[in-house]
Amino acid sequence: NAGVTQTPKFQVLKTGQSMTLQCAQDMNHEYMSWYRQDPGMGLRLIHYSVGAGITDQGEVPNGYNVSRSTTEDFPLRLLSAAPSQTSVYFCAVNRGQDTEAFFGQGTRLTVV
Amino acid sequence: AQSVTQLDSHVSVSEGTPVLLRCNYSSSYSPSLFWYVQHPNKGLQLLLKYTSAATLVKGINGFEAEFKKSETSFHLTKPSAHMSDAAEYFCVVSDFSGGYNKLIFGAGTRLAVHP
């Protein structure tokens, strides 16, 4: 039982490249979300999903795309990487409203 | 809109002394509040949560927090710090607007524990 698994753990991209951050869960929870963590700013919500086929924007969605074709997976796509997207990205999963969120170990992304 | 302010970006204590990490929140309704801990290069772990039951909430590793509606505060305390408590701590409020349980994070408090 792995919980929430993020891959890769580290990534370096050149400006303009695209990539996909993977998030997989084996908890069978409906709610999944992506956050980015920047120094002194806590975590900010990028995109979220309340179930397969349903996604919506969070606080900082620009430059990112998501889709949710299965309950288990919620990939985050960077369309054209920019240095401002250098950050640590966390995927979170929770059962529903007002419930504890379980976080993956994070992906540290550097865009040069 | 909900918001969270963590009043100290850094707190330093000696091992065995009390810990106080301060958090104020802003909410238009009775909120759900959480404290998460992040150890270096790790993910986030839930310490405790308040969801309108008892105002004094006990969490893991000896931490507790008290919800004070009149002061809009949710401060985290521990009677005696341990070296392993050194980490970053986030106060979090739930925002239910838009039909989703968005988590609004404070900026974090880095706790250092000295021998």
Side-chain angles (χ1 to χ4, degrees):
Chain A
N1 188 346
V4 183
T5 302
Q6 288 184 236
T7 55
K9 288 187 168 51
F10 302 93
Q11 182 71 49
V12 179
L13 286 180
K14 292 183 179 179
T15 298
Q17 286 185 317
S18 63
M19 79 159 293
T20 299
L21 280 63
Q22 302 290 346
C23 176
Q25 57 129 338
D26 62 3
M27 307 176 79
N28 201 32
H29 287 349
E30 290 297 324
Y31 289 21
M32 297 185 75
S33 49
W34 278 101
Y35 292 82
R36 60 176 289 172
Q37 181 179 23
D38 301 294
M41 302 186 74
L43 276 71
R44 293 179 292 166
L45 182 64
I46 305 171
H47 284 286
Y48 64 93
S49 169
V50 299
I54 307 169
T55 64
D56 206 345
Q57 297 180 350
E59 182 185 355
V60 288
N62 292 342
Y64 307 95
N65 248 356
V66 291
S67 60
R68 180 101 178 268
S69 55
T70 66
T71 298
E72 293 78 20
D73 300 295
F74 190 44
L76 178 72
R77 281 181 287 277
L78 279 69
L79 309 172
S80 176
S84 61
Q85 294 179 303
T86 293
S87 187
V88 182
Y89 291 85
F90 286 98
C91 178
V93 170
N94 52 327
R95 191 175 64 245
Q97 297 283 20
D98 194 31
T99 59
E100 173 187 357
F102 298 89
F103 288 83
Q105 293 295 296
T107 296
R108 185 174 295 274
L109 176 68
T110 303
V111 183
V112 297
Chain B
Q2 278 58 251
S3 66
V4 175
T5 302
Q6 291 183 243
L7 299 170
D8 307 290
S9 58
H10 291 83
V11 170
S12 182
V13 302
S14 298
E15 191 175 21
T17 64
V19 175
L20 170 64
L21 305 183
R22 298 181 296 163
C23 172
N24 285 354
Y25 69 90
S26 170
S27 177
S28 54
Y29 48 79
S30 184
S32 293
L33 292 157
F34 307 81
W35 276 97
Y36 281 85
V37 61
Q38 183 181 31
H39 290 278
N41 300 314
K42 299 287 187 186
L44 286 87
Q45 180 185 18
L46 180 70
L47 274 179
L48 51 81
K49 67 177 181 181
Y50 166 78
T51 54
S52 74
T55 56
L56 183 63
V57 182
K58 293 191 184 298
I60 61 172
N61 301 334
F63 284 95
E64 62 182 37
E66 186 171 8
F67 174 73
K68 291 187 176 180
K69 186 175 181 179
S70 60
E71 299 176 9
T72 62
S73 69
F74 190 57
H75 301 335
L76 182 70
T77 60
K78 183 173 180 178
S80 177
H82 191 272
M83 296 296 289
S84 61
D85 294 329
E88 187 148 26
Y89 292 79
F90 293 97
C91 183
V92 181
V93 64
S94 269
D95 179 0
F96 295 134
S97 63
Y100 178 68
N101 182 35
K102 298 180 186 126
L103 300 180
I104 309 298
F105 282 76
T109 298
R110 187 166 297 278
L111 175 66
V113 182
H114 302 287

